[in-house]
Amino acid sequence: MAFALITGASGGIGLSMARELAKRKIDLLIVARSTDKLSAAKKEIEEKYKVRVEFLSLDLSQLGSASKVANWVSENSFAVRILINNAGYGIWGSVEKTPWAQLNNMMQLNMVTIAELCHAMLPELKKHSKSYILNTASTAAYQAVPTLATYAATKSFVVLFTRGLRKELRNSNVSVTCLSPGATSTNFIDRAGMEALKERAEKFSMSADQVAKIAITGMFNEKAEVIPGFMNWLSVQLTYLLTKSIIENVAAGLYKTKN
Ligand SMILES: NC(=O)c1ccc[n+]([C@@H]2O[C@H](COP(=O)([O-])OP(=O)(O)OC[C@H]3O[C@@H](n4cnc5c(N)ncnc54)[C@H](OP(=O)(O)O)[C@@H]3O)[C@@H](O)[C@H]2O)c1
């Protein structure tokens, strides 16, 4: 049986997508840093859904980590027909006041590893009659966002890279989809250091399970882009209708920091 390989599946949207695929009786390869959380996810999903789950604890922000994942797959002869690049995080604050090492780490994880994993896994994905890639971007990808400038730019990269790859593979067996969630109740806000916005964000947040269900359905329906939630979809459409200056002012107001 072929596997789905999901990065960032130790919690949040990635874990919910893992459960969503397990419900469909798809075996899983899950990757993240936290061994204890991956081990707990394996136990829970195997018991509940009766599928096979294998995990790899790895920091995907490190150079060469995509090759380590690809080697793990080939050394174990895992057949992979679904690749979900979901691991990612944000950093809230001005570019000027954020240490470069932190921005660099985020760019490596959010962009380079995603592109490298797609590149490394394509030969494997091409072996199957039908395969899928799902890359997680964000609604932040569709406009510049002051105080989340680098994060938003990494997610713009994901949208454009994914759409380009989709076109390149249009006559192949591999369908490529981009997922752009809006605010979702996960560990994202805490890791991004956005506690000050937590209360407001939670009012508009979708659950990780809701996002995952829409994402996996969209992937299997071979959608180019999936933007879960009507308000999130609408906010993206407005970025095409209003001037960049207006949209950036709105974004600046939403994500104001003390920096
Ligand atoms: N939540 C939102 O509001 C929101 C909105 C738009 C887009 N997104 C995007 O959705 C994706 C999933 O985020 P989430 O909201 O589910 O956040 P989350 O709860 O923080 O989950 C992030 C996942 O990525 C893994 N991860 C983080 N850094 C990693 C690293 N260096 N190497 C390997 N794995 C790493 C985490 O596991 P470990 O900590 O165990 O490594 C975890 O499994 C991200 O790409 C995020 O940018 C989220």
Side-chain angles (χ1 to χ4, degrees):
M1 188 79 168
F3 288 87
L5 168 59
I6 313 175
T7 70
S10 64
I13 298 168
L15 178 56
S16 292
M17 289 198 281
R19 293 193 185 107
E20 201 56 45
L21 289 165
K23 274 184 208 163
R24 298 170 191 239
K25 295 287 170 216
I26 295 169
D27 294 331
L28 303 172
L29 303 175
I30 55 177
V31 185
R33 292 168 304 172
S34 317
T35 309
D36 49 344
K37 291 185 188 165
L38 288 168
S39 174
K42 171 182 165 72
K43 191 170 182 298
E44 177 223 302
I45 293 173
E46 284 188 335
E47 278 174 11
K48 191 162 177 191
Y49 301 105
K50 311 290 176 221
V51 296
R52 181 176 170 199
V53 182
E54 301 298 338
F55 69 85
L56 178 66
S57 316
L58 188 66
D59 184 346
L60 291 167
S61 68
Q62 298 306 300
L63 277 177
S65 54
S67 304
K68 285 188 180 159
V69 176
N71 290 343
W72 174 61
V73 166
S74 65
E75 279 160 14
N76 289 285
S77 305
F78 294 136
V80 175
R81 71 175 189 95
I82 299 171
L83 169 64
I84 300 185
N85 281 301
N86 167 77
Y89 72 101
I91 300 172
W92 192 34
S94 69
V95 172
E96 188 184 359
K97 292 190 176 161
T98 308
W100 175 249
Q102 291 182 17
L103 295 176
N104 191 39
N105 182 279
M106 179 179 65
M107 289 193 285
Q108 187 70 35
L109 178 68
N110 291 10
M111 297 190 290
V112 179
T113 298
I114 288 187
E116 199 179 346
L117 253 183
C118 288
H119 188 267
M121 292 307 298
L122 263 174
E124 170 60 31
L125 293 166
K126 285 269 183 100
K127 288 180 189 165
H128 306 275
S129 57
K130 186 74 213 173
S131 294
Y132 302 87
I133 294 175
L134 178 71
N135 291 335
T136 304
S138 166
T139 50
Y142 298 88
Q143 66 282 296
V145 185
T147 72
L148 280 173
T150 312
Y151 173 72
T154 66
K155 293 302 186 177
S156 285
F157 171 87
V158 175
V159 172
L160 292 185
F161 173 76
T162 306
R163 290 196 68 106
L165 184 64
R166 175 183 172 83
K167 277 285 180 209
E168 287 182 9
L169 295 171
R170 65 189 175 282
N171 296 323
S172 81
N173 63 317
V174 187
S175 173
V176 185
T177 298
C178 185
L179 167 66
S180 288
T184 310
S185 301
T186 65
N187 193 43
F188 180 85
I189 289 258
D190 289 338
R191 176 135 195 231
M194 298 167 81
E195 293 84 357
L197 298 183
K198 203 167 183 172
E199 208 179 297
R200 194 177 67 207
E202 274 170 4
K203 284 192 191 134
F204 301 101
S205 288
M206 294 176 73
S207 73
D209 287 352
Q210 281 175 308
V211 169
K213 193 169 184 181
I214 295 166
I216 297 302
T217 304
M219 180 188 78
F220 283 128
N221 286 336
E222 303 187 26
K223 299 282 187 207
E225 284 183 48
V226 178
I227 303 169
F230 175 72
M231 291 309 288
N232 292 327
W233 176 85
L234 187 64
S235 72
V236 170
Q237 305 319 306
L238 287 176
T239 65
Y240 299 118
L241 296 174
L242 300 175
T243 66
K244 284 183 179 161
S245 167
I246 291 174
I247 292 291
E248 287 160 9
N249 284 340
V250 172
L254 284 174
Y255 293 102
K256 217 182 277 173
T257 69
K258 56 181 182 301
N259 288 0

